[in-house]
Amino acid sequence: MTTHLVLLRGINVSGHNMMKMEALKTMLENIGFQNVRTYLQSGNVFVDTPEESASAVGFQIKQEIFKVFGHEVPTVVITKKDLDDCFKNSPFLKEKEVDTKKLYVAFVSIALKSENINDLKISQFKPDEASIDGNRIFIKYAVGAGKTRFDQKYIEKKLNVTATIRNWNTVTNLLNMYEE
């Protein structure tokens, strides 16, 4: 069995793409996933399956959500290693007295190259900062996520990827859940 963490983008936000986590859990169990666990109402779902391919799991879940709930919901599937690497590779955690409430991680659907940072033109969002590491973009917002244009929509448009952003507290809690 492989445990996958499925990050659903844009559900239960401002009254859009509403679905109860219990209904989502039941749907996933009905199509064969085991040990289904959710975190928060914003679409963080752990599933166990014999399927090793993250993209196959994401595609299956995306299709079933559309069939059952009628929502087109982008998905990004990540591993425990992806979360471990957040802690190992975040350049912002190494800073003295970093405010983790300003740290976020954008998980993207494909591995990026470090030179993709140029495509993001992050300098136009100063003092916000970003760094690319594989399928993650580490973000440090100067003021907060709600007060910037450097968001998931911008990342998706500039890099032609599916992206979903989680705050540092959520990343930490998801890693703890993986280890349970």
Side-chain angles (χ1 to χ4, degrees), residues 37 46 80 84 172-180:
R37 298 173 287 146
F46 290 92
K80 181 179 183 295
D84 283 334
T172 301
N173 288 327
L174 291 172
L175 180 59
N176 290 337
M177 286 181 72
Y178 238 125
E179 294 175 344
E180 288 175 354

Side-chain angles (χ1 to χ4, degrees), residues 78-158:
I78 63 172
T79 65
K80 181 179 183 295
K81 182 181 180 331
D82 289 317
L83 292 174
D84 283 334
D85 287 349
C86 287
F87 288 86
K88 291 178 192 166
N89 301 340
S90 172
F92 307 120
L93 281 183
K94 297 171 178 124
E95 297 175 358
K96 280 189 170 187
E97 300 180 32
V98 65
D99 182 358
T100 57
K101 291 179 180 161
K102 294 182 179 179
L103 299 185
Y104 290 75
V105 181
F107 295 96
V108 297
S109 55
I110 61 170
L112 302 170
K113 296 182 172 105
S114 58
E115 56 265 19
N116 288 123
I117 197 72
N118 298 328
D119 301 330
L120 289 174
K121 300 180 180 4
I122 188 67
S123 62
Q124 67 187 5
F125 298 102
K126 290 288 181 195
D128 293 344
E129 298 178 59
S131 174
I132 289 178
D133 178 52
N135 65 334
R136 294 167 297 280
I137 302 172
F138 299 110
I139 303 168
K140 183 171 85 172
Y141 291 120
V143 178
K147 298 189 173 22
T148 184
R149 290 183 357 260
F150 186 69
D151 59 11
Q152 156 264 314
K153 288 180 184 177
Y154 178 84
I155 291 168
E156 287 183 331
K157 182 177 178 183
K158 286 297 185 184

Side-chain angles (χ1 to χ4, degrees), residues 43-96:
N44 306 291
V45 185
F46 290 92
V47 297
D48 289 350
T49 176
E51 177 60 62
E52 292 183 21
S53 167
S55 60
V57 169
F59 181 77
Q60 182 182 7
I61 291 173
K62 181 178 176 175
Q63 295 297 100
E64 195 67 16
I65 287 173
F66 184 75
K67 190 166 89 177
V68 172
F69 297 102
H71 304 314
E72 183 71 36
V73 177
T75 62
V76 175
V77 181
I78 63 172
T79 65
K80 181 179 183 295
K81 182 181 180 331
D82 289 317
L83 292 174
D84 283 334
D85 287 349
C86 287
F87 288 86
K88 291 178 192 166
N89 301 340
S90 172
F92 307 120
L93 281 183
K94 297 171 178 124
E95 297 175 358
K96 280 189 170 187

